Amino acid sequence: MKKDSPVCVELRNVSLNYLSNGQNVHALQDVTLAIRQGEFVAIVGPSGCGKTTILKLVAGLLPPTRGEVLIDGTPIKGPQKNVGMAFQNPILLPWRTALENVLLPLEIVQPHRQEFARNRRQYEEQALHLLHTVGLEGFADRAPYELSGGMQQRVSLCRALIHQPEILLLDEPFAALDAFTREELWGVLQTLWQDRGCTVILVTHDLREAVFLASRVFVMSKRPGRLVQEAHVDLPRPRTLENTFEPAFVGLVHQLYTCIGEVRA
Ligand code: ADP
Ligand code: MG
């Protein structure tokens, strides 16, 4: 990502209130941020502070109550097609193979549907290439139940990227995995991002994960969620697990840890 890349995602003074059962839940309060094309940012903050809500706003699944959400300078009006998403639970269709799960968005999202019907072979090549990148070469024809949790999450990352979205939204994607698998997938995600150059917003509880992957980390307050700090991670890339033991890395994690402690108190 170049420092002067154009802004891709922008929130301008965004507030969001949920109305449920007559109750007004003030989820976000006056959030302003700008993320450049190709940037990798992370959002951390206490449970219930509105992190998932921010991703839903960027995906166009929710309109803001106040303020504006823009993609490439245009205020968004509804669900976005140039966005890929992956969540804590990979939610693969059990009756489909890994490859067929990766191809799923192409069968659903216009304008890919027609192209996909005509050029199925070509898209399958792309899906196989993605599976190869995440270390699942040879597993394309396996059913989800034959794959470990970490492998399923790799499939889910491929599925989020198959339609070559400009923006990748990740909601605690590795939270359900054991520590070794999780840290292995940091490297996988870093490679995917460096290959593709998409803009990534990662929501995570794991401060080391945030520092490993992101160029900037936003810290949010308790609900109603506001941005309270923005940490720049100027560590060289590609980052390795070995780097996570170095003073610069540990110092940044510690700084975030202190900030989160203050926010939660
Ligand atoms: P986070 O992802 O940071 O844990 P969320 O964005 O999911 O937080 O939610 C922010 C707040 O809004 C929480 O208090 C949550 O209970 C509330 N909330 C989320 N979705 C809804 C909804 N559809 N209706 C009412 N309240 C909601
Ligand atoms: Mg959430």
Side-chain angles (χ1 to χ4, degrees):
M1 201 261 320
K2 291 186 237 73
K3 287 251 185 286
D4 54 356
S5 298
V7 171
C8 176
V9 175
E10 193 174 355
L11 273 67
R12 283 188 195 155
N13 306 104
V14 166
S15 296
L16 190 117
N17 290 50
Y18 287 107
L19 203 59
S20 73
N21 299 327
Q23 290 266 342
N24 199 354
V25 181
H26 192 177
L28 290 177
Q29 168 70 39
D30 202 21
V31 174
T32 294
L33 57 83
I35 302 165
R36 293 187 180 282
Q37 270 173 22
E39 197 178 1
F40 196 132
V41 304
I43 302 177
V44 299
S47 209
C49 73
K51 302 181 293 296
T52 298
T53 301
I54 290 186
L55 296 188
K56 286 183 182 165
L57 285 162
V58 174
L61 301 174
L62 275 179
T65 308
R66 276 187 301 282
E68 261 188 328
V69 181
L70 302 93
I71 291 186
D72 297 329
T74 309
I76 61 179
K77 297 272 184 280
Q80 296 296 299
K81 291 182 187 131
N82 56 353
V83 163
M85 293 183 89
F87 313 93
Q88 179 169 336
N89 183 342
I91 341 180
L92 304 178
L93 297 179
W95 59 88
R96 286 181 156 234
T97 64
L99 178 67
E100 288 167 350
N101 268 288
V102 174
L103 292 170
L104 187 68
L106 301 173
E107 295 170 27
I108 298 169
V109 182
Q110 288 287 17
H112 301 284
R113 271 172 70 169
Q114 288 166 348
E115 272 301 299
F116 179 60
R118 264 184 260 137
N119 294 323
R120 190 182 172 100
R121 189 69 221 139
Q122 189 190 323
Y123 282 104
E124 278 179 4
E125 290 297 329
Q126 287 174 23
L128 289 169
H129 176 74
L130 270 170
L131 287 169
H132 175 82
T133 312
V134 301
L136 284 182
E137 200 176 15
F139 291 90
D141 295 326
R142 302 295 181 89
Y145 74 86
E146 296 180 280
L147 305 175
S148 68
M151 291 161 102
Q152 292 188 23
Q153 197 51 272
R154 290 169 200 247
V155 173
S156 151
L157 286 175
C158 294
R159 181 182 53 190
L161 290 167
I162 187 65
H163 60 299
Q164 307 198 325
E166 185 190 358
I167 303 163
L168 180 61
L169 304 177
L170 301 172
D171 199 352
E172 304 188 31
F174 310 135
L177 304 174
D178 67 86
F180 290 111
T181 308
R182 185 187 313 145
E183 295 185 3
E184 212 178 303
L185 285 183
W186 295 351
V188 169
L189 178 56
Q190 175 174 244
T191 305
L192 281 173
W193 169 70
Q194 291 196 312
D195 279 3
R196 310 222 137 212
C198 54
T199 308
V200 184
I201 308 179
L202 167 74
V203 163
T204 180
H205 275 124
D206 185 336
L207 303 180
R208 292 174 63 247
E209 180 170 299
V211 173
F212 186 96
L213 285 161
S215 308
R216 272 193 299 159
V217 182
F218 296 108
V219 182
M220 292 178 67
S221 69
K222 282 195 287 199
R223 201 183 80 202
R226 292 168 292 106
L227 292 184
V228 291
Q229 210 201 8
E230 179 189 322
H232 288 257
V233 186
D234 292 321
L235 302 175
R237 295 185 187 268
R239 298 173 189 159
T240 66
L241 291 177
E242 205 54 44
N243 297 144
T244 66
F245 301 98
E246 292 166 2
F249 187 98
V250 175
L252 273 164
V253 174
H254 190 203
Q255 180 194 327
L256 287 170
Y257 173 81
T258 307
C259 184
I260 292 271
E262 285 162 8
V263 161
R264 295 185 67 209

